[in-house]
Amino acid sequence: HRGPDRINAVNSRLKSCGPTSISKLLSRVGNIGTIFRNLVKFTQKYSNSHNGGLVLSSFARGVKAFLDLYEKQILELPQNAATRRQQSGMSSAPKFFDLRQPSCNTVDSASFLPTLMEIDAHTETLQGQLIWISEICQTSYNKKHGFPRGAKLLSYLFECGTLSAGGEATDPLFQYLLETAFTPYLKM
């Protein structure tokens, strides 16, 4: 049902966001998607020990585990956003975001898809971690000498970790990735 009320709600909601805000938000979402895809390619390339040794393949598997967690968080976002709305006392999200419903008046808050702003807000920490891992994995540019391997990779990771020390979102992730990369040495 696309009555005048629904069309007016969509128009007024989009006008309140502004084209510049929407453009910047969509640009960030697209950038994060590109970073995610590049990290997936990185993990596919190096997860096998034949392509970089045991330390690099362990590190790549650690990055893959984070990407799996990231993807899981994105897939659970609609339910998590609905739960947060209920906990914060919001009765519902903007009703026009769920176009599957025949009427705007009969929808409960749990059935709404998250808005772009909610997606951005709920994934801010994950986005920062994804960007941080991308910088460590050097996926945004081509290195002539390849990615470090073995003990050089551990030194490189340690250096990256000390440079970003104190980051509330990156410290536990750094510790996990360093421990994962170090695993082959622990098994000797």
Side-chain angles (χ1 to χ4, degrees):
H1 171 258
R2 291 190 172 215
D5 292 339
R6 176 173 242 144
I7 292 170
N8 288 336
V10 171
N11 288 338
S12 64
R13 178 71 176 183
L14 291 177
K15 287 178 184 175
S16 68
C17 289
T20 304
S21 298
I22 293 172
S23 176
K24 286 180 182 179
L25 183 61
L26 291 175
S27 177
R28 277 199 317 270
V29 169
N31 185 42
I32 290 296
T34 300
I35 289 170
F36 182 87
R37 184 66 190 134
N38 288 341
L39 284 169
V40 168
K41 288 179 184 178
F42 176 90
T43 63
Q44 289 170 341
K45 180 177 181 180
Y46 292 119
S47 288
N48 185 332
S49 62
H50 299 294
N51 290 336
L54 294 174
V55 174
L56 182 52
S57 70
S58 292
F59 173 72
R61 284 191 302 273
V63 172
K64 174 72 170 112
F66 171 77
L67 294 176
D68 290 344
L69 172 71
Y70 180 86
E71 189 172 25
K72 181 180 181 234
Q73 293 290 321
I74 296 299
L75 293 173
E76 291 175 353
L77 190 64
Q79 181 58 41
N80 292 340
T83 301
R84 286 186 185 117
R85 279 188 217 116
Q86 289 172 341
Q87 289 173 349
S88 67
M90 289 178 62
S91 61
S92 66
K95 295 183 179 182
F96 60 87
F97 278 97
D98 192 348
L99 299 177
R100 298 168 294 169
Q101 298 297 327
S103 169
C104 290
N105 299 323
T106 61
V107 180
D108 64 353
S109 63
S111 68
F112 288 113
L113 298 174
T115 66
L116 288 175
M117 296 299 280
E118 284 177 311
I119 292 170
D120 191 48
H122 291 281
T123 61
E124 187 174 7
T125 299
L126 285 171
Q127 289 178 41
Q129 290 172 331
L130 199 66
I131 291 167
W132 182 78
I133 290 176
S134 172
E135 290 170 359
I136 288 175
C137 295
Q138 305 167 4
T139 59
S140 60
Y141 56 94
N142 293 327
K143 261 192 105 171
K144 292 179 183 178
H145 305 292
F147 198 73
R149 289 157 167 69
K152 288 182 180 182
L153 174 57
L154 295 175
S155 296
Y156 170 72
L157 292 174
F158 183 77
E159 182 181 328
C160 290
T162 55
L163 291 175
S164 66
E168 189 176 308
T170 56
D171 276 355
L173 182 57
F174 164 71
Q175 184 176 0
Y176 169 75
L177 291 174
L178 185 61
E179 287 173 5
T180 303
F182 201 78
T183 301
Y185 285 107
L186 298 175
K187 291 183 178 180
M188 292 181 152

